[in-house]
Amino acid sequence: MTLDKTETTRVRFAPSPTGYLHLGGARTALYNWLWAKKTGGVFILRIEDTDAERSTAESTEGILHGLRWLGLEWDEGPFYQTANLPKHIEAATKLLESGHAYRCYCTREELDAQRKAAEAQKRAFIYDGRCRKLTEEESPAKLESGIPYVVRFRTPQTSAVAFDDLVYGRIEKQGHDIEDFVIVRSDGRPLYILSNAVDDAHDRITHVIRGADGIANTPKQVLIYNALGITPPTFAHMPLTLDNKKAKLSKRSHGEVVTVAYYEKRGFIPWALCNFMALLGWSSADGREFFTREELIEAFDLTRINRANSIFNYVPGDTKNWTDPKAIHFNSTYLRTIPPAELEPYVREELQSAGLWRESFEGEEKEWFLKTINLIRTRYLTLTDFSERGRCYFSDEFSFDQKAVAKNLKDSNLRTYLPELSDRLEALPDFTAYEIEEVFRTYSEEKGIKAGIIINGSRTAVSGTSVGPGLFEMLEVLGKDRVVKRLRDVTPLIPEAV
RNA sequence: GUCCCCAUCGUCUAGCCUGGCCUAGGACACCGGCCUUUCACGCCGGCGACAGGGGUUCAAAUCCCCUUGGGGACGCCA
C-alpha cells in the first residue's frame, strides 16, 4: 500500500476504554480534529478495546459523550479494535511466514526471573532473543508438542530505525536497543503495538498525532510497517501535560479535575475548554489566544507544536482556582463576551438542572431573559454561577449572605428608608433605571443622607448579597413587583433602634 | 540502570532553524492605581525568566560541547 500524496488527510483518536476521558486524551483528540478540519480531511474515532480485562462499556460511553460535549465530532467510527482481530492475526501470520517474527517459548516465570536479575544488577532488561536461535528441528518439535508460545518480532540488530516526527524532528534508534518485542500473546491475542499499526494502515491513516509517550513505540511500529511492506504514516508527537509536581496527569492521583466530565459539571463552555487545551503546547504565529472554532482551525499548525512538556497548573485544595486559573480565565471571558443568543442555551440548561427554568424565558419573557443574563454575566466565572449567584433573578427563594446583611443593613433607619423607597418606586409609571435612580437621588437629598446607605441597603434587600451589577439596572431587571416586595419584606433583618 | 526526548517569568508561551531589531515580548495569576453605590469588567502601572559551565563569533536566549535538572519508554497494558 502506498500513500498517494493527493489522498485526503486521515487522522484518528484511538483511546482505550479503560477510564474516563481526561484532559490529555481530549487534547490529543482536539489536535487530531483540528488537523483534519484544517486539511479538509477525515477524523476517525477508534476504540482500542483489545484489553478485555480493563475495557468497559461505561468508559466507551463516557468517551463518546465527552467528545460530543466538546464538539469534536468524528467523521468515521467509532470503530472497535476487537472487530479487526482477524486482520491483526493475519498480519502476525504474515510476519511469521516471512521470517520477520518467530515463536518464543520462554515462560513468563523465566522472563520475570531474568527481568528481576537485570534489575538487581541495575542493568536494562532486554530479551536476549534466545528463541530466535532455535534450530530448524527444535522449533517444529516444540510447536508440535503444544507448548504455549508468544510471537516476537525479529528486530534487525545491526541497523537503525528512524522516522521524521513533525514536531520532534528526526528520531533514530539503534536496532540493538530495541528488544524482540512480543506482538502476539500466548493465548493468540495480538498486542497493541501490532493491532494499532495494522488498524492505522487499514484505516489509511496519514498522520498519527498522539502523546509523546508514544515516541518509544514508534520505531517498533515503523519496523512492523516495513516488514509488512506498508509505508508508515507521518508521526506528530505532542508534548505531555504534567501536574505542578511534574507527574503525569491521572484520575487516580488528581481526581475528577483531570476529567472532561468535571468541566461539564462545573459549568464550562465546551469551546472555552478546547481553546484552553489548544494552548497547552501550541501557540499561534501571531500570539493570539482567543479563537473561534473556524479561526483556530485556520491558525492551527502541527509544526508549531512545542516540544517541552507543559504543566497543568492545578493546585489541590484551592476553592477559587479549582482548576488551572487560565482555564477559568478562558471560560469567564467567553461567558461575558459571546453573543447572548449563543450563551442562552447553556444558561437554559444550567437553570433547568437547578429547577429555575421557566418556559416563558423562551416565550414572552425572552427579551427580559436575554437582558438579564447579559447584565449579570460580566462577573460570572462559570455557568453554575447563573443558578447559584444569579438565583435572586430567577426565583424569590434566595438566601441572605450574613456578611452582606451585617454590612449593608446595619443602619436601623433603613427600617424607615426602605419601605418609603418602596412606596415611591411603586408609584413610578416607568420602572426604568433612569427613573429609579431619580427616586434614590431625590430621596437621599431630602433625607440628607449619603446615597450609598440606601443603595447598598437596597442591593442587599433585593439580592441578599453586597455585590452585583449597578443597582438601578439591577432593580429595573428585577421588575417593580419584586423590588417593591423585597424592600418591604427585608425589614425583620434590620436591627431596631436602641 | 539503559534508550529516547526536553530545558525562557510561579504557570502557558513568543523569540531559537536563517546569531545583531532582545536593556527578552505577550497571556494568566499576583500587587498597586484610575473608574465607581458594591463587586466585576475596562484602562494604566508594577513584580517576574534565557538552569550552570565551557567554547565558536566582532556579537549568543539563539550555534557546538559538557554538567545539572526534568520527563517519557523499558509489560504476554493501551
Side-chain angles (χ1 to χ4, degrees):
Chain A
M1 185 184 296
T2 49
L3 224 57
D4 183 346
K5 283 211 175 72
T6 60
E7 196 177 351
T8 54
T9 305
R10 294 173 65 86
V11 295
R12 85 315 197 258
F13 174 51
S16 63
T18 55
Y20 296 79
L21 178 63
H22 56 89
L23 261 22
R27 189 176 62 120
T28 304
L30 173 65
Y31 281 28
N32 274 283
W33 179 85
L34 284 168
W35 188 242
K37 296 294 162 198
K38 183 174 184 82
T39 56
V42 177
F43 176 47
I44 296 164
L45 177 61
R46 180 166 69 228
I47 304 295
E48 304 213 322
D49 57 347
T50 52
D51 184 347
E53 289 82 35
R54 296 193 301 152
S55 296
T56 66
E58 292 76 23
S59 177
T60 300
E61 274 315 302
I63 290 166
L64 300 189
H65 175 82
L67 290 175
R68 286 198 188 102
W69 179 73
L70 287 167
L72 306 178
E73 296 285 344
W74 50 95
D75 304 303
E76 289 182 19
F79 298 133
Y80 292 85
Q81 189 158 55
T82 45
N84 271 339
L85 192 62
K87 288 215 163 50
H88 308 153
I89 292 172
E90 190 188 313
T93 308
K94 198 174 158 193
L95 291 173
L96 223 32
E97 282 169 356
S98 62
H100 286 104
Y102 61 91
R103 296 182 179 85
C104 168
Y105 298 91
C106 296
T107 65
R108 280 178 209 258
E109 290 70 31
E110 287 167 357
L111 293 171
D112 284 347
Q114 287 176 37
R115 210 186 317 274
K116 274 213 176 105
E119 235 166 73
Q121 293 171 47
K122 295 204 168 235
R123 196 162 48 75
F125 172 71
I126 285 189
Y127 175 65
D128 60 10
R130 58 183 66 179
C131 288
R132 69 150 72 184
K133 301 180 192 98
L134 289 175
T135 64
E136 305 230 337
E137 294 93 59
E138 269 178 303
S139 195
K142 287 218 178 196
L143 188 56
E144 286 292 301
S145 66
I147 303 172
Y149 62 87
V150 298
V151 178
R152 285 184 186 272
F153 190 88
R154 191 188 302 273
T155 305
Q157 296 299 294
T158 52
S159 54
V161 211
F163 63 97
D164 293 299
D165 193 278
L166 247 29
V167 351
Y168 285 93
R170 189 172 185 80
I171 293 180
E172 196 177 66
K173 199 151 174 169
Q174 297 305 315
H176 55 78
D177 286 327
I178 306 171
E179 74 169 352
D180 283 350
F181 52 96
V182 178
I183 55 175
V184 182
R185 296 175 173 95
S186 54
D187 63 4
R189 286 151 61 210
L191 253 9
Y192 160 83
I193 195 89
L194 204 222
S195 306
N196 179 258
V198 171
D199 287 353
D200 281 344
H202 177 254
D203 292 334
R204 307 192 325 277
I205 299 301
T206 57
H207 299 254
V208 170
I209 304 167
R210 53 160 44 153
D213 46 354
I215 290 179
N217 278 327
T218 310
K220 296 179 183 174
Q221 295 191 308
V222 170
L223 248 20
I224 291 175
Y225 284 117
N226 291 160
L228 253 19
I230 300 167
T231 305
T234 300
F235 293 93
H237 287 90
M238 37 198 283
L240 266 17
T241 300
L242 312 172
D243 73 5
N244 53 14
K245 292 194 185 70
K246 301 200 170 168
K248 224 174 150 180
L249 252 32
S250 73
K251 170 112 199 283
R252 223 178 67 131
S253 45
H254 304 94
E256 44 186 4
V257 71
V258 301
T259 68
V260 169
Y262 192 55
Y263 292 80
E264 181 179 7
K265 180 177 150 194
R266 291 291 300 253
F268 256 65
I269 292 173
W271 183 250
L273 185 58
C274 286
N275 198 152
F276 166 73
M277 289 192 300
L279 260 22
L280 237 39
W282 173 85
S283 61
S284 74
D286 62 6
R288 201 149 52 111
E289 297 200 318
F290 280 88
F291 301 88
T292 62
R293 292 173 139 232
E294 292 67 32
E295 287 167 346
L296 187 57
I297 289 164
E298 169 71 27
F300 188 71
D301 184 359
L302 251 24
T303 61
R304 280 195 66 85
I305 295 176
N306 206 175
R307 279 180 286 273
N309 292 339
S310 57
I311 290 171
F312 175 62
N313 195 15
Y314 145 77
V315 181
D318 189 333
T319 46
K320 187 180 167 222
N321 291 316
W322 54 271
T323 182
D324 192 313
K326 195 150 184 173
I328 295 177
H329 169 251
F330 271 93
N331 198 243
S332 61
T333 301
Y334 272 104
L335 211 56
R336 66 167 186 271
T337 55
I338 60 175
E342 211 175 297
L343 179 66
E344 194 265 348
Y346 295 119
V347 179
R348 182 198 319 161
E349 206 177 322
E350 171 59 29
L351 294 186
Q352 277 168 342
S353 64
L356 296 173
W357 175 257
R358 290 201 302 273
E359 283 308 317
S360 55
F361 292 167
E362 219 172 28
E364 67 270 25
E365 286 188 286
K366 179 155 188 160
E367 204 184 320
W368 171 82
F369 183 66
L370 289 175
K371 187 176 166 187
T372 302
I373 63 176
N374 192 45
L375 178 72
I376 63 183
R377 66 173 172 163
T378 55
R379 57 221 85 206
Y380 289 174
L381 303 177
T382 60
L383 294 166
T384 55
D385 283 333
F386 283 96
S387 63
E388 290 166 6
R389 295 166 62 188
R391 196 179 173 89
C392 65
Y393 296 92
F394 308 110
S395 168
D396 288 326
E397 280 151 41
F398 57 92
S399 56
F400 282 80
D401 171 43
Q402 287 315 303
K403 273 190 190 158
V405 171
K407 185 180 163 208
N408 291 338
L409 295 174
K410 63 171 184 278
D411 188 339
S412 58
N413 291 318
L414 287 168
R415 290 181 85 99
T416 315
Y417 300 157
L418 262 25
E420 283 182 7
L421 278 164
S422 185
D423 292 341
R424 294 191 186 191
L425 292 171
E426 191 169 23
L428 237 35
D430 290 320
F431 202 70
T432 61
Y434 181 82
E435 301 286 330
I436 295 166
E437 178 159 10
E438 282 286 308
V439 170
F440 273 78
R441 300 290 176 203
T442 307
Y443 188 83
S444 73
E445 259 175 57
E446 281 178 24
K447 294 284 175 180
I449 54 172
K450 284 203 288 186
I453 298 285
I454 50 175
I455 289 174
N456 291 327
S458 298
R459 172 187 305 289
T460 301
V462 301
S463 70
T465 73
S466 59
V467 301
L471 181 76
F472 312 119
E473 288 145 304
M474 180 178 170
L475 295 187
E476 180 187 322
V477 149
L478 247 18
K480 189 195 277 184
D481 294 350
R482 286 197 289 193
V483 170
V484 163
K485 187 172 187 319
R486 288 179 189 181
L487 287 178
R488 286 174 185 157
D489 289 353
V490 81
T491 305
L493 294 180
I494 306 169
E496 292 184 51
V498 266

